[in-house]
Amino acid sequence: MSIPKDDGEWAALISTIKVSLPETFPEYQTPLPSEVNRTIDHTQLALAATEQQIDQLCAEALQYQFATVCVRLNHVRRAVQELKGSSDVKVACVVGFHEGMYETSEKEQEARDAVEQGAAELDMVLKYPLLKEGKYTDVYTDILGVRKAAPSPIRLKVILETSQLTREEIIAGSVIADVAGADFIKTSTGFNGSGANIDNVALMRATAGSVGNGCKVKASGGVRSAEDCIRMLKTGAERIGTSSGVKIMQELKGEAVGAKGSIRRWRPTSSATILIGQTISVSIITNLSISQRDFVRNICDPMQNTDSYPMLPSFSAPRPPSSPHPRPTMRRPGVPKKRKTSHYHDQTDYNGHSRNIFTSKPTAVFTPTGGRSHTLTVAIPGSIVANSHSVEQKTILAGIIARALAVFCVDEVVVFDDDENSPRDEYHGQGDYYESPIDKTSDELNGNDSSAKRYTGYSDPSHFLAHILSYLETPPYLRKHLFPMHPNLRGAGLLPSLDMPHHLRANEWCDYREGIVISSSDGEGQRRHSTQMSNYHHNRRYSSSSSTNFSATVVDTGLPKKVVLPDIQLPEYARVTVRFSEQGHEHYAQPVHPSTPRSEAGYYWGYYVRRCRSLSSVFTECPFDGGYDLSFGTSERGAPVYSVLEEERQEHDNYDRRKIPPDYKHLLVVFGGVAGIEAAIHNDPQLCDMEIRPTEAGKLFDYWVNLLPGQGSRTIRTEEAVWLGLTSLRGLVEGTHRPRPLYRSSSFRSSTSYE
């Protein structure tokens, strides 16, 4: 096969391979349980992994004789030392992990360093954003550079990141990696979207077979059980990347982890010898786990498709009185696996009766109690990010703040500049172009200006913080559409889950849902559809007021089937909030304003992100009519917060109190950076023109409060202050407390206009 010389020739080759693929894919023979260990790459890729965790990883790999341990470059030398003396267990190292968009020269050097330190295999991430743009020659050159830096016998695995690719792009990536000399094509990093699935594994195996260079497939990401492992191997994978290798081997050997970590070994209830080629009765098979059943079937008739076997009955054997452990309940094949660990705690209720509580899954579900018109806004200086040294530390800090915003149901977060060295406002003077300051922020984060494409953790920390907060607020199923690869998101794998009410799973139902417009048609029925990620209108929210008179819009809301918005057209790739009719079809909905779930139904529906160039613009660019009618500034020089708030004296229980609307409409809480809010005033040109001095900071707000008088540490970090502040003011938000008029400041805002 000749090597294509340009993108056009690559496209022709990829098209030829695509046409040659079969319509259905075969099932492959599963290895015996005793051989599965040699397909596993035992993995530890956490950025915060310790030497003790690497030692444990290597010890487990030696015990179970896994194919490799897969680690980051900084742990290769130690892993090689721990595995010294074993010729069977190798060390694999990731390269360009996990974004893939590092310069090729950096990847080549990383590959050389890993090999020099003893790595025998490399797992590199290809530049899949370039693959999506059709820049096939650049992708090939990148892989080939690493291949030349680490030639055979070093094994090279190329990670496609299939969760971010279409079927055609997976075929293209597989072809290019194969031609470039990869030994394996690998599904996923496990850090970006969903991991391996059988459709993609089968497609990659078939593509590699069509190219004919002997390239194999590694399934990685989300393989956490023996059942998952066997499914991938039967689909065509020949290597499995997982951090659950020990668990998989225990399941294959018939072991199960007991309630206190003890190991129980499966034993058949009747003495029987299983012979190859013999028929096995259902009474024996019902004592096996699903993965064990698959092995038995393969042994009995390796050439027969397991789907042809009759479905085995669900079985739960009674537990003898003397048995110390419950016998596991068997499931029908194909039923999704539930958590193995169940935690039941004997507790006593208010009547003194003992009751069992299931605690292995979260049970605190947000329950709306009716429409809510009042809002909560938090303002934070972006400079707090500048004080963190690495992208990982900056990312973790943003995640801590985002968790507080979600937990306390914050509706708007404002990231403002408080540093005299803050970058010039490239969007200054364009305010009239935008429908709201929030749209302006969205374009700053995802537009075509230079800051939208470069790493801004140092040059523009407010942009970085706003970018991460916006990413986390977006429902996970929309992120791959609205947030393309970006240097600011290289640490996204460290971010926590916010799990907010609008972060719905595919099997969860709500009257409202967030979606992205994927296609639309005009009045004559002409369909418009684009697949170029670069054309997305990132994270701009649209409602019915944004539409024009066209016939229909199709929206992806994370449900198994797409949703149709009849008699309306919205911009393609726009984020939209939809409402399903109570009597209507579940595949039809109507667009609503993003605040509708909150204002009409009472749902907490996430937060808006607004970027401001100064403290004064937090007030002047407020998106709410009438501005913020109640504001709190936080400082160690303020009045103790417990003195400022008093409990409402009404004859209601707590439940009724929460139904009473608060005295305010829009509450604002402002936090300072390292130097406090005073530094933001000092560096605010508008406030300086108004001759407002930093010592008068308290007069900018209705209340100037100290969140923790008598603090043990000299300083309270801003991310800690956010949690303290929102906890302290929770009663005000819930309507159980109100501020004392005695402590109200003589606010500048009552007599002075910022305009």
Side-chain angles (χ1 to χ4, degrees), residues 56-77:
Q56 178 67 22
L57 184 80
C58 295
E60 292 168 348
L62 289 172
Q63 177 184 353
Y64 290 98
Q65 287 293 288
F66 293 132
T68 73
V69 296
C70 187
V71 297
R72 291 179 182 263
L73 178 61
N74 58 311
H75 293 304
V76 169
R77 198 179 301 277

Side-chain angles (χ1 to χ4, degrees), residues 528-544:
R528 302 194 327 161
H529 185 77
S530 173
T531 59
Q532 290 298 319
M533 185 78 74
S534 59
N535 293 330
Y536 283 11
H537 296 274
H538 301 292
N539 224 12
R540 289 278 294 274
R541 295 189 181 185
Y542 287 84
S543 63
S544 56

Side-chain angles (χ1 to χ4, degrees), residues 383-411:
S383 61
I384 62 174
V385 171
N387 295 315
S388 299
H389 298 294
S390 67
V391 63
E392 291 81 14
Q393 291 174 326
K394 296 175 191 290
T395 301
I396 291 172
L397 184 151
I400 293 171
I401 292 174
R403 282 289 301 168
L405 302 176
V407 168
F408 290 98
C409 302
V410 172
D411 301 295

Side-chain angles (χ1 to χ4, degrees), residues 584-596:
H585 195 278
E586 64 178 9
H587 300 310
Y588 289 85
Q590 66 181 56
V592 296
H593 192 276
S595 66
T596 300

Side-chain angles (χ1 to χ4, degrees), residues 118-259:
E121 300 187 2
L122 303 175
D123 291 39
M124 71 165 288
V125 187
L126 61 67
K127 296 184 176 182
Y128 60 85
L130 299 185
L131 181 69
K132 298 184 71 63
E133 296 175 12
K135 297 180 179 179
Y136 302 134
T137 304
D138 292 342
V139 175
Y140 170 76
T141 302
D142 182 59
I143 301 172
L144 186 63
V146 176
R147 176 77 280 183
K148 290 181 178 179
S152 184
I154 302 299
R155 286 187 170 180
L156 177 63
K157 312 187 196 87
V158 176
I159 306 173
L160 304 186
E161 202 68 285
T162 52
S163 65
Q164 307 301 309
L165 304 177
T166 64
R167 183 179 188 275
E168 289 71 20
E169 291 162 353
I170 291 173
I171 295 172
S174 300
V175 171
I176 295 171
D178 198 334
V179 174
D183 298 293
F184 285 84
I185 42 178
K186 177 178 171 181
T187 56
S188 318
T189 62
F191 283 73
N192 191 1
S194 58
N197 65 56
I198 57 175
D199 293 333
N200 290 339
V201 169
L203 178 62
M204 292 163 65
R205 175 68 182 259
T207 303
S210 295
V211 175
N213 289 342
C215 188
K216 301 176 181 179
V217 176
K218 175 177 174 179
S220 180
V223 184
R224 301 186 179 93
S225 67
E227 185 176 356
D228 296 336
C229 180
I230 297 306
R231 188 183 298 115
M232 297 301 166
L233 293 173
K234 290 172 66 175
T235 306
E238 296 184 62
R239 190 72 70 88
I240 302 294
T242 179
S243 58
S244 304
V246 172
K247 176 174 175 286
I248 289 172
M249 295 310 299
Q250 289 174 350
E251 291 179 357
L252 292 178
K253 292 182 178 181
E255 299 172 347
V257 180

